[in-house]
Amino acid sequence: MKVIRYGVGSALAAVVLGTVLVPAGVASATEGFSCPTGTDTIQVPYAFTADGQPLLAGTVCVLEGTTRFSSLDVEAGWTAQVKSDGSGKKARTDVRFTQTSTGDRVELIYEPGLTRIK
């Protein structure tokens, strides 16, 4: 199982590790999709091409500067379940993506100071 961890404040670490937290409107699973204004965008890759480009299960949007879930976009052939929306004591967004044809899963856990994709 591949787990990617990095501090939210470190964009350089995110790029080095292959996880991308970018301003809204830059990342997308579906062509033309962009997260709403006032949100941060998190790409959720399930694999990478030979040249390092992410193959996305989906894109998760969280309210800018928080861990509070806003919306998501799911790539064709994948489904998503929001397990936690960042409200309450945990302040954590947890979204599980499942590939419908294989049952493969990838999960985003986004909490203060830490992002994990496993």
Side-chain angles (χ1 to χ4, degrees):
M1 172 185 341
K2 180 177 181 181
V3 177
I4 302 169
R5 299 170 191 246
Y6 66 90
V8 174
S10 177
L12 178 58
V15 171
V16 169
L17 292 172
T19 302
V20 183
L21 173 64
V22 295
V26 176
S28 67
T30 302
E31 187 173 336
F33 174 81
S34 62
C35 285
T37 301
T39 62
D40 293 322
T41 302
I42 307 166
Q43 290 182 326
V44 183
Y46 64 90
F48 293 88
T49 64
D51 62 352
Q53 296 300 311
L55 300 173
L56 300 180
T59 301
V60 175
C61 310
V62 295
L63 296 178
E64 188 172 12
T66 74
T67 58
R68 180 74 186 217
F69 175 82
S70 172
S71 60
L72 62 87
D73 181 58
V74 181
E75 185 67 32
W78 289 82
T79 60
Q81 173 190 12
V82 177
K83 296 173 62 181
S84 177
D85 68 1
S87 63
K89 293 180 183 180
K90 288 189 176 183
R92 171 170 97 176
T93 289
D94 186 347
V95 181
R96 179 182 293 162
F97 293 86
T98 304
Q99 191 172 43
T100 55
S101 63
T102 64
D104 289 346
R105 292 182 177 178
V106 62
E107 187 168 1
L108 166 71
I109 299 173
Y110 187 67
E111 53 194 341
L114 183 65
T115 299
R116 290 181 285 172
I117 297 176
K118 59 181 185 172

